[in-house]
Amino acid sequence: MVSTVRLSDDAHATAWRAMTVLTKDYGRFTVATVAALTPQASYPAIAEWHGWLAREMIVSAEGPAWRVEVSGEAPPRNRGTNGRGSQQQRQIWTAMRALRAFSATDLVEAATTDVCEVTALAVARFVRALEQVGYLQRAGDRLRLPPGKDTGPRAPIPLSGGGIFDLNLGQTVNPNNLRGRS
């Protein structure tokens, strides 16, 4: 889905800070409260980003309110891909975690579902991003996800400028500054 509302860098940082502080101090927050604490953004922009955070399992429902599940840096505003591409990345990551050692073809087969077909191109792009930051090891045409790089159930987000955002760790990992766990 292409949005007509955008969240500025300042609003993005302010909204994330509000969500994390409210979760830490009160155990929960509402989207309306975060929007009220983010004067640089409209409610629809905050609500749209919040919806993305919920789909990515960064926030979870706490009764009628929400709570942040992964603290750290503010997650990106989105995956930078269409809804199908996002789903493909989630399915590929799940397959990698289950298989541990695999080829690109193995990933296409294991990650494809009746609801969302995973393409070889999607696998190649996601694998390239994870290899660049050391999350995957290659031996010929076989790849391996080392146990220390299996950071959790949330699929990392490839960043347009290189590197990834690891949603499980709440941090950016890039090829010039490897900060992920070994």
Coordinates of all heavy atoms in Angstrom, one line a residue, residues 18-96:
A18 N 8.1 8.6 22.4 CA 6.9 8.5 23.2 C 6.4 7.1 23.5 O 6.0 6.8 24.6 CB 5.8 9.3 22.5
M19 N 6.4 6.3 22.4 CA 6.0 4.9 22.6 C 6.8 4.1 23.6 O 6.3 3.4 24.5 CB 6.0 4.1 21.3 CG 5.0 4.5 20.3 SD 5.3 3.6 18.7 CE 4.3 4.6 17.6
T20 N 8.2 4.3 23.5 CA 9.0 3.6 24.4 C 9.0 4.1 25.9 O 9.0 3.3 26.8 CB 10.5 3.6 23.9 OG1 11.0 4.9 23.8 CG2 10.6 2.8 22.6
V21 N 8.9 5.4 26.0 CA 8.8 6.0 27.4 C 7.5 5.6 28.0 O 7.4 5.2 29.2 CB 9.0 7.5 27.4 CG1 8.6 8.1 28.7 CG2 10.4 7.8 27.0
L22 N 6.4 5.7 27.3 CA 5.1 5.3 27.8 C 5.0 3.9 28.2 O 4.5 3.5 29.2 CB 4.0 5.7 26.9 CG 3.7 7.2 26.7 CD1 2.8 7.4 25.5 CD2 3.1 7.8 28.0
T23 N 5.6 3.0 27.4 CA 5.7 1.6 27.7 C 6.5 1.3 29.0 O 6.1 0.6 29.9 CB 6.2 0.8 26.5 OG1 5.3 0.9 25.4 CG2 6.3 -0.7 26.9
K24 N 7.6 2.0 29.0 CA 8.5 1.8 30.2 C 7.9 2.3 31.5 O 7.9 1.7 32.5 CB 9.8 2.5 30.0 CG 10.8 2.4 31.1 CD 12.1 3.1 30.8 CE 13.1 3.0 32.0 NZ 13.4 4.3 32.5
D25 N 7.3 3.5 31.4 CA 6.7 4.2 32.6 C 5.3 3.7 33.0 O 5.0 3.6 34.2 CB 6.7 5.7 32.5 CG 8.1 6.3 32.4 OD1 9.1 5.5 32.7 OD2 8.3 7.5 32.1
Y26 N 4.5 3.4 32.0 CA 3.1 3.1 32.3 C 2.7 1.7 31.8 O 1.6 1.2 32.0 CB 2.2 4.1 31.6 CG 2.4 5.5 32.2 CD1 3.2 6.4 31.4 CD2 1.9 5.9 33.4 CE1 3.4 7.7 31.9 CE2 2.2 7.1 33.9 CZ 2.9 8.0 33.2 OH 3.2 9.3 33.7
G27 N 3.6 1.0 31.1 CA 3.3 -0.3 30.6 C 2.5 -0.4 29.3 O 2.3 -1.5 28.8
R28 N 2.0 0.8 28.8 CA 1.2 0.8 27.6 C 1.1 2.2 27.1 O 1.5 3.2 27.7 CB -0.1 0.2 27.8 CG -1.0 0.9 28.8 CD -2.2 0.2 29.2 NE -3.0 0.9 30.1 CZ -2.9 0.8 31.4 NH1 -1.9 0.1 31.9 NH2 -3.7 1.5 32.2
F29 N 0.6 2.3 25.9 CA 0.3 3.6 25.2 C -0.9 3.4 24.3 O -1.3 2.3 23.9 CB 1.5 4.2 24.5 CG 1.9 3.3 23.3 CD1 1.3 3.6 22.1 CD2 2.8 2.3 23.4 CE1 1.7 2.8 21.0 CE2 3.2 1.5 22.3 CZ 2.6 1.8 21.1
T30 N -1.5 4.5 23.9 CA -2.5 4.5 22.8 C -2.0 5.3 21.7 O -1.1 6.2 21.8 CB -3.8 5.1 23.3 OG1 -3.6 6.5 23.6 CG2 -4.4 4.4 24.5
V31 N -2.4 5.1 20.5 CA -2.0 5.8 19.3 C -2.4 7.3 19.4 O -1.6 8.1 19.1 CB -2.6 5.2 18.0 CG1 -2.3 6.0 16.8 CG2 -2.2 3.7 17.9
A32 N -3.6 7.5 20.0 CA -4.0 8.9 20.2 C -3.0 9.7 21.1 O -2.7 10.8 20.9 CB -5.4 9.0 20.8
T33 N -2.6 9.0 22.2 CA -1.6 9.7 23.1 C -0.3 10.0 22.4 O 0.3 11.1 22.5 CB -1.3 8.8 24.3 OG1 -2.6 8.6 25.0 CG2 -0.4 9.5 25.3
V34 N 0.2 9.0 21.6 CA 1.4 9.2 20.9 C 1.3 10.3 19.8 O 2.1 11.2 19.7 CB 1.9 7.9 20.2 CG1 3.1 8.2 19.2 CG2 2.3 6.9 21.2
A35 N 0.1 10.4 19.2 CA -0.1 11.4 18.2 C -0.2 12.8 18.9 O 0.4 13.8 18.4 CB -1.4 11.2 17.4
A36 N -0.8 12.8 20.1 CA -0.8 14.1 20.8 C 0.6 14.6 21.3 O 0.8 15.8 21.3 CB -1.8 13.9 22.0
L37 N 1.4 13.6 21.5 CA 2.8 13.9 22.0 C 3.8 14.2 20.8 O 4.9 14.4 21.0 CB 3.4 12.8 22.8 CG 2.6 12.6 24.2 CD1 3.1 11.3 24.9 CD2 2.9 13.8 25.1
T38 N 3.2 14.1 19.6 CA 4.1 14.2 18.4 C 3.4 15.4 17.5 O 2.8 15.1 16.5 CB 4.1 12.9 17.5 OG1 4.4 11.8 18.4 CG2 5.1 13.0 16.4
P39 N 3.7 16.6 17.9 CA 3.1 17.7 17.2 C 3.5 17.9 15.8 O 2.8 18.5 15.0 CB 3.5 18.9 18.1 CG 4.7 18.5 18.8 CD 4.6 17.0 19.0
Q40 N 4.7 17.3 15.4 CA 5.2 17.4 14.0 C 4.4 16.5 13.0 O 4.7 16.6 11.8 CB 6.7 17.0 13.9 CG 7.6 17.6 15.0 CD 7.7 16.6 16.2 OE1 6.8 16.0 16.7 NE2 9.0 16.5 16.6
A41 N 3.5 15.7 13.5 CA 2.8 14.7 12.6 C 1.3 14.7 12.9 O 0.9 15.0 13.9 CB 3.4 13.3 12.8
S42 N 0.6 14.3 11.8 CA -0.8 14.1 11.9 C -1.1 12.7 12.5 O -0.3 11.8 12.5 CB -1.5 14.2 10.6 OG -1.0 13.2 9.7
Y43 N -2.3 12.6 13.1 CA -2.8 11.3 13.6 C -2.7 10.2 12.5 O -2.2 9.1 12.8 CB -4.2 11.5 14.2 CG -4.7 10.1 14.7 CD1 -4.5 9.8 16.0 CD2 -5.4 9.2 13.9 CE1 -4.9 8.6 16.6 CE2 -5.8 8.0 14.4 CZ -5.6 7.7 15.7 OH -6.0 6.5 16.2
P44 N -3.2 10.5 11.3 CA -3.1 9.4 10.3 C -1.7 8.9 10.0 O -1.5 7.7 9.8 CB -3.7 10.0 9.0 CG -4.6 11.1 9.5 CD -3.9 11.6 10.7
A45 N -0.7 9.8 10.0 CA 0.7 9.3 9.8 C 1.2 8.5 10.9 O 1.8 7.4 10.7 CB 1.6 10.6 9.6
I46 N 0.8 8.9 12.2 CA 1.2 8.1 13.3 C 0.5 6.7 13.3 O 1.1 5.7 13.6 CB 0.9 8.8 14.7 CG1 1.7 10.1 14.7 CG2 1.2 8.0 15.9 CD1 3.2 10.0 14.9
A47 N -0.8 6.8 13.0 CA -1.6 5.5 13.0 C -1.1 4.6 11.9 O -1.0 3.3 12.2 CB -3.1 5.9 12.8
E48 N -0.7 5.1 10.8 CA -0.2 4.2 9.7 C 1.1 3.5 10.1 O 1.3 2.3 9.9 CB 0.0 5.0 8.4 CG 0.4 4.1 7.3 CD 0.6 4.9 6.0 OE1 -0.4 5.4 5.5 OE2 1.7 4.9 5.5
W49 N 2.0 4.3 10.7 CA 3.3 3.7 11.1 C 3.0 2.7 12.2 O 3.6 1.7 12.3 CB 4.3 4.8 11.6 CG 5.6 4.3 11.9 CD1 6.4 3.5 11.1 CD2 6.4 4.6 13.1 NE1 7.6 3.2 11.8 CE2 7.6 3.9 12.9 CE3 6.2 5.4 14.2 CZ2 8.6 3.9 13.9 CZ3 7.2 5.4 15.2 CH2 8.4 4.7 15.0
H50 N 2.1 3.1 13.2 CA 1.8 2.1 14.2 C 1.3 0.8 13.7 O 1.6 -0.3 14.2 CB 0.8 2.8 15.2 CG 0.3 1.8 16.2 ND1 -0.8 1.1 16.0 CD2 0.8 1.5 17.4 CE1 -1.0 0.3 17.1 NE2 -0.1 0.5 17.9
G51 N 0.4 0.9 12.7 CA -0.1 -0.3 12.0 C 1.0 -1.2 11.5 O 1.0 -2.4 11.6
W52 N 2.0 -0.5 10.9 CA 3.2 -1.3 10.3 C 3.9 -1.9 11.5 O 4.3 -3.1 11.4 CB 4.1 -0.3 9.5 CG 5.3 -1.0 9.0 CD1 5.4 -1.8 7.9 CD2 6.6 -1.0 9.6 NE1 6.6 -2.3 7.8 CE2 7.4 -1.8 8.8 CE3 7.1 -0.4 10.7 CZ2 8.7 -2.0 9.1 CZ3 8.5 -0.7 11.0 CH2 9.2 -1.5 10.2
L53 N 4.1 -1.2 12.6 CA 4.8 -1.7 13.8 C 4.1 -2.9 14.3 O 4.7 -3.9 14.7 CB 5.0 -0.7 14.8 CG 5.9 0.5 14.5 CD1 5.8 1.6 15.6 CD2 7.4 0.0 14.4
A54 N 2.8 -2.9 14.3 CA 2.0 -4.0 14.8 C 2.2 -5.2 13.9 O 2.3 -6.4 14.3 CB 0.5 -3.6 14.9
R55 N 2.1 -5.0 12.5 CA 2.3 -6.1 11.6 C 3.7 -6.7 11.7 O 3.9 -7.9 11.5 CB 2.1 -5.6 10.2 CG 0.7 -5.4 9.8 CD 0.5 -5.1 8.3 NE 1.2 -3.9 7.8 CZ 0.7 -2.7 8.0 NH1 -0.4 -2.4 8.6 NH2 1.4 -1.7 7.5
E56 N 4.7 -5.9 12.1 CA 6.1 -6.4 12.2 C 6.3 -7.0 13.7 O 7.5 -7.3 14.0 CB 7.1 -5.3 11.9 CG 7.0 -4.9 10.5 CD 7.6 -5.9 9.5 OE1 8.3 -6.8 9.9 OE2 7.4 -5.7 8.3
M57 N 5.3 -7.0 14.5 CA 5.4 -7.5 15.9 C 6.3 -6.7 16.8 O 6.9 -7.2 17.7 CB 5.8 -9.0 15.9 CG 4.9 -9.9 15.1 SD 5.3 -11.6 15.1 CE 6.9 -11.6 14.4
I58 N 6.5 -5.4 16.5 CA 7.3 -4.5 17.3 C 6.5 -4.0 18.5 O 7.0 -3.7 19.6 CB 7.9 -3.3 16.5 CG1 8.7 -3.8 15.3 CG2 8.6 -2.3 17.3 CD1 9.9 -4.7 15.8
V59 N 5.2 -3.8 18.2 CA 4.2 -3.4 19.3 C 3.2 -4.5 19.3 O 2.9 -5.2 18.3 CB 3.6 -2.0 19.0 CG1 4.6 -0.9 19.1 CG2 2.8 -2.0 17.8
S60 N 2.6 -4.7 20.5 CA 1.5 -5.7 20.6 C 0.4 -5.1 21.5 O 0.6 -4.2 22.3 CB 2.0 -7.0 21.3 OG 2.5 -6.7 22.6
A61 N -0.8 -5.6 21.3 CA -2.0 -5.2 22.0 C -1.9 -5.5 23.5 O -1.5 -6.6 23.9 CB -3.2 -5.8 21.4
E62 N -2.2 -4.5 24.3 CA -2.3 -4.7 25.7 C -3.7 -4.2 26.1 O -3.9 -3.0 26.5 CB -1.2 -3.8 26.4 CG -1.1 -3.9 27.9 CD -0.4 -5.1 28.4 OE1 0.2 -5.8 27.7 OE2 -0.5 -5.3 29.6
G63 N -4.7 -5.1 26.0 CA -6.1 -4.7 26.1 C -6.4 -3.7 25.0 O -6.1 -3.9 23.9
P64 N -7.0 -2.5 25.4 CA -7.3 -1.5 24.4 C -6.1 -0.6 24.0 O -6.2 0.2 23.1 CB -8.4 -0.7 25.0 CG -8.1 -0.8 26.5 CD -7.5 -2.2 26.7
A65 N -5.0 -0.9 24.6 CA -3.8 -0.1 24.4 C -2.7 -1.0 23.8 O -3.0 -2.1 23.4 CB -3.3 0.6 25.7
W66 N -1.5 -0.4 23.7 CA -0.4 -1.1 23.1 C 0.9 -1.0 23.9 O 1.0 -0.2 24.8 CB -0.1 -0.5 21.7 CG -1.2 -0.6 20.8 CD1 -2.3 0.2 20.7 CD2 -1.4 -1.7 19.8 NE1 -3.2 -0.3 19.7 CE2 -2.7 -1.4 19.2 CE3 -0.7 -2.8 19.5 CZ2 -3.2 -2.3 18.2 CZ3 -1.2 -3.6 18.5 CH2 -2.4 -3.3 17.9
R67 N 1.8 -1.9 23.6 CA 3.1 -1.8 24.3 C 4.2 -2.2 23.3 O 4.0 -2.9 22.4 CB 3.2 -2.8 25.5 CG 3.1 -4.3 25.2 CD 3.2 -5.1 26.5 NE 4.6 -5.1 27.0 CZ 5.0 -4.5 28.1 NH1 4.1 -3.9 28.8 NH2 6.2 -4.5 28.4
V68 N 5.4 -1.6 23.5 CA 6.6 -1.8 22.7 C 7.2 -3.1 23.1 O 7.5 -3.3 24.3 CB 7.6 -0.7 22.8 CG1 8.9 -1.0 22.1 CG2 7.0 0.6 22.3
E69 N 7.4 -4.0 22.2 CA 8.0 -5.3 22.5 C 9.5 -5.4 22.3 O 10.2 -6.2 22.9 CB 7.4 -6.4 21.6 CG 5.9 -6.7 21.9 CD 5.6 -7.1 23.3 OE1 6.5 -7.8 23.9 OE2 4.6 -6.8 23.9
V70 N 10.0 -4.5 21.4 CA 11.5 -4.5 21.1 C 12.0 -3.0 21.3 O 11.6 -2.2 20.5 CB 11.8 -5.0 19.7 CG1 13.2 -4.9 19.4 CG2 11.2 -6.3 19.5
S71 N 12.8 -2.8 22.3 CA 13.3 -1.4 22.5 C 14.6 -1.3 21.7 O 15.1 -2.2 21.1 CB 13.5 -1.2 24.0 OG 14.4 -2.1 24.5
G72 N 15.1 -0.1 21.7 CA 16.3 0.2 20.9 C 16.1 1.4 20.0 O 15.2 2.2 20.3
E73 N 16.8 1.4 18.9 CA 16.7 2.4 17.9 C 15.2 2.4 17.3 O 14.6 1.4 17.3 CB 17.6 2.2 16.7 CG 19.1 2.2 17.1 CD 20.0 1.8 16.0 OE1 19.6 2.0 14.8 OE2 21.0 1.2 16.2
A74 N 14.8 3.5 16.8 CA 13.5 3.6 16.2 C 13.5 2.8 14.9 O 14.4 3.0 14.1 CB 13.2 5.1 15.8
P75 N 12.6 1.8 14.8 CA 12.6 1.0 13.5 C 12.3 1.9 12.3 O 11.7 3.0 12.5 CB 11.4 0.1 13.8 CG 11.2 0.1 15.2 CD 11.6 1.4 15.7
P76 N 12.7 1.5 11.1 CA 12.4 2.3 9.9 C 10.9 2.5 9.8 O 10.1 1.9 10.5 CB 12.9 1.4 8.8 CG 13.8 0.4 9.4 CD 13.3 0.2 10.8
R77 N 10.5 3.4 8.9 CA 9.1 3.7 8.8 C 8.4 2.6 8.0 O 7.1 2.5 8.1 CB 8.9 5.0 8.0 CG 9.4 6.2 8.8 CD 9.3 7.5 8.0 NE 10.1 8.5 8.6 CZ 11.4 8.7 8.5 NH1 12.1 7.9 7.8 NH2 12.0 9.7 9.1
N78 N 9.1 1.8 7.3 CA 8.5 0.6 6.6 C 9.6 -0.3 6.1 O 10.8 0.0 6.3 CB 7.5 1.0 5.5 CG 8.2 1.9 4.4 OD1 9.3 1.5 4.0 ND2 7.6 3.0 4.1
R79 N 9.3 -1.3 5.3 CA 10.3 -2.2 4.8 C 10.8 -1.7 3.4 O 11.6 -2.3 2.9 CB 9.7 -3.6 4.5 CG 9.8 -4.5 5.8 CD 9.4 -5.9 5.4 NE 9.5 -6.6 6.7 CZ 10.6 -7.2 7.1 NH1 11.7 -7.1 6.4 NH2 10.6 -7.8 8.3
G80 N 10.3 -0.6 2.9 CA 10.7 -0.1 1.6 C 10.4 -1.0 0.5 O 11.1 -1.0 -0.5
T81 N 9.4 -1.8 0.6 CA 8.9 -2.7 -0.4 C 7.4 -2.8 -0.4 O 6.8 -2.4 0.6 CB 9.6 -4.1 -0.2 OG1 9.2 -5.0 -1.3 CG2 9.2 -4.8 1.1
N82 N 6.8 -3.4 -1.4 CA 5.4 -3.5 -1.4 C 4.9 -4.6 -0.4 O 5.8 -5.3 0.2 CB 4.8 -3.8 -2.8 CG 5.3 -5.1 -3.3 OD1 5.6 -6.1 -2.6 ND2 5.5 -5.2 -4.6
G83 N 3.7 -4.7 -0.1 CA 3.2 -5.7 0.8 C 3.6 -7.1 0.5 O 3.9 -7.8 1.4
R84 N 3.6 -7.5 -0.8 CA 4.0 -8.8 -1.1 C 5.5 -9.0 -0.8 O 5.9 -10.1 -0.3 CB 3.7 -9.1 -2.6 CG 4.1 -10.4 -3.1 CD 3.6 -10.7 -4.5 NE 4.0 -12.0 -4.9 CZ 5.0 -12.3 -5.8 NH1 5.6 -11.3 -6.4 NH2 5.3 -13.5 -6.1
G85 N 6.3 -8.0 -1.1 CA 7.8 -8.1 -0.8 C 8.0 -8.3 0.6 O 8.9 -9.0 1.1
S86 N 7.3 -7.6 1.4 CA 7.4 -7.7 2.9 C 7.1 -9.1 3.4 O 7.8 -9.6 4.2 CB 6.5 -6.7 3.6 OG 6.8 -5.4 3.3
Q87 N 6.0 -9.6 2.9 CA 5.6 -10.9 3.2 C 6.6 -12.0 2.8 O 6.9 -12.9 3.5 CB 4.2 -11.3 2.7 CG 3.6 -12.6 3.1 CD 3.5 -12.7 4.6 OE1 3.1 -11.7 5.3 NE2 3.7 -13.8 5.2
Q88 N 7.1 -11.8 1.6 CA 8.2 -12.7 1.1 C 9.4 -12.7 2.0 O 9.9 -13.8 2.4 CB 8.6 -12.3 -0.3 CG 7.6 -12.7 -1.4 CD 8.1 -12.3 -2.8 OE1 8.9 -11.3 -2.9 NE2 7.7 -13.0 -3.8
Q89 N 9.8 -11.5 2.5 CA 11.0 -11.4 3.4 C 10.7 -12.2 4.7 O 11.5 -12.9 5.2 CB 11.3 -10.0 3.7 CG 12.0 -9.3 2.5 CD 12.2 -7.8 2.7 OE1 11.9 -7.3 3.7 NE2 12.9 -7.2 1.7
R90 N 9.5 -12.0 5.2 CA 9.1 -12.7 6.5 C 9.1 -14.2 6.3 O 9.6 -14.9 7.1 CB 7.7 -12.2 6.9 CG 7.7 -10.8 7.5 CD 6.2 -10.5 8.0 NE 6.0 -9.1 8.0 CZ 5.4 -8.4 7.1 NH1 4.8 -9.0 6.0 NH2 5.2 -7.1 7.2
Q91 N 8.6 -14.6 5.2 CA 8.6 -16.1 4.9 C 10.0 -16.7 4.6 O 10.3 -17.8 5.1 CB 7.6 -16.4 3.7 CG 6.2 -16.1 4.0 CD 5.2 -16.3 2.9 OE1 4.2 -15.7 2.9 NE2 5.6 -17.0 1.8
I92 N 10.8 -15.9 4.0 CA 12.2 -16.4 3.7 C 12.9 -16.5 5.0 O 13.6 -17.5 5.3 CB 12.9 -15.4 2.7 CG1 12.3 -15.4 1.4 CG2 14.4 -15.8 2.7 CD1 12.7 -14.3 0.5
W93 N 12.8 -15.5 5.9 CA 13.4 -15.5 7.2 C 13.0 -16.7 8.0 O 13.8 -17.4 8.7 CB 13.2 -14.2 8.0 CG 13.8 -14.1 9.3 CD1 13.2 -14.1 10.5 CD2 15.2 -14.0 9.6 NE1 14.1 -14.0 11.6 CE2 15.3 -14.0 11.0 CE3 16.4 -13.9 8.8 CZ2 16.6 -13.9 11.7 CZ3 17.6 -13.8 9.5 CH2 17.7 -13.8 10.9
T94 N 11.7 -17.0 8.0 CA 11.1 -18.1 8.8 C 11.7 -19.4 8.2 O 12.1 -20.3 9.0 CB 9.6 -18.1 8.7 OG1 9.1 -16.9 9.3 CG2 9.0 -19.3 9.4
A95 N 11.8 -19.5 6.9 CA 12.4 -20.7 6.3 C 13.9 -20.9 6.7 O 14.4 -22.0 7.0 CB 12.3 -20.7 4.8
M96 N 14.6 -19.8 6.6 CA 16.1 -19.8 7.0 C 16.2 -20.3 8.4 O 17.1 -21.1 8.7 CB 16.7 -18.4 6.9 CG 16.9 -17.9 5.5 SD 17.6 -16.2 5.6 CE 17.9 -15.9 3.9

